[in-house]
Amino acid sequence: MKTWKRALKDGLVTGGIAGLTSLVVLALGERGKPWGPVNAPSHWVWGDPALFQDGATPRYTATGVLVHQLAASFWGVLHERFLGDPEGGRDAGTLLRDAALTTAVAAVVDLEVVPHRLTPGFQHRLSAASLAGVYALFALGLALGSRVVGRRR
């Protein structure tokens, strides 16, 4: 198991990559409104009106991306602390399995456990298939991030 110091360092990379990969699905949007899912996480700061903002704006879009990346980094740090390989020698299958486990926990916490204000918000703007895509690409990003930090060792 990695130390918290190392997990923080590695997890910011891993979570950053996972946040960016999942942001791809958010940015694709649905129903001709690509910015709505990207803006939705800004409801952490701006409240529920942010959930329904469809245009790209500094207030909602920049905040939405920032909140999304912060949350992804949080999960990246926990992933690296508890499932990260201190030696960086895990195979791709193991990296994907561990990333899927972290992502499953994140999805349950994000969508079922935390209070409404701390949910990602984009679940209100996406179909079930797109929501699954967000979390699938998040898992892929975690695995890729773990590979990147493992190769640096």
Side-chain angles (χ1 to χ4, degrees), residues 6-112:
R6 187 157 164 202
L8 178 62
K9 200 168 156 185
D10 291 350
L12 292 176
V13 172
T14 301
I17 292 170
L20 290 174
T21 57
S22 57
L23 192 60
V24 169
V25 178
L26 294 180
L28 291 175
E30 286 186 0
R31 299 177 207 75
K33 298 179 180 176
W35 294 107
V38 175
N39 293 340
S42 71
H43 83 110
W44 280 25
V45 177
W46 307 116
D48 282 352
L51 295 173
F52 307 103
Q53 300 302 313
D54 292 329
T57 67
R59 178 178 181 147
Y60 295 110
T61 309
T63 305
V65 170
L66 178 63
V67 167
H68 180 71
Q69 288 302 116
L70 287 172
S73 294
F74 168 80
W75 288 111
V77 170
L78 291 181
H79 174 75
E80 289 296 335
R81 170 69 170 137
F82 296 107
L83 297 174
D85 181 9
E87 305 305 318
R90 292 194 176 145
D91 62 84
T94 303
L95 291 173
L96 286 169
R97 180 203 66 206
D98 291 349
L101 176 61
T102 299
T103 301
V105 171
V108 168
V109 170
D110 285 353
L111 302 172
E112 300 295 332

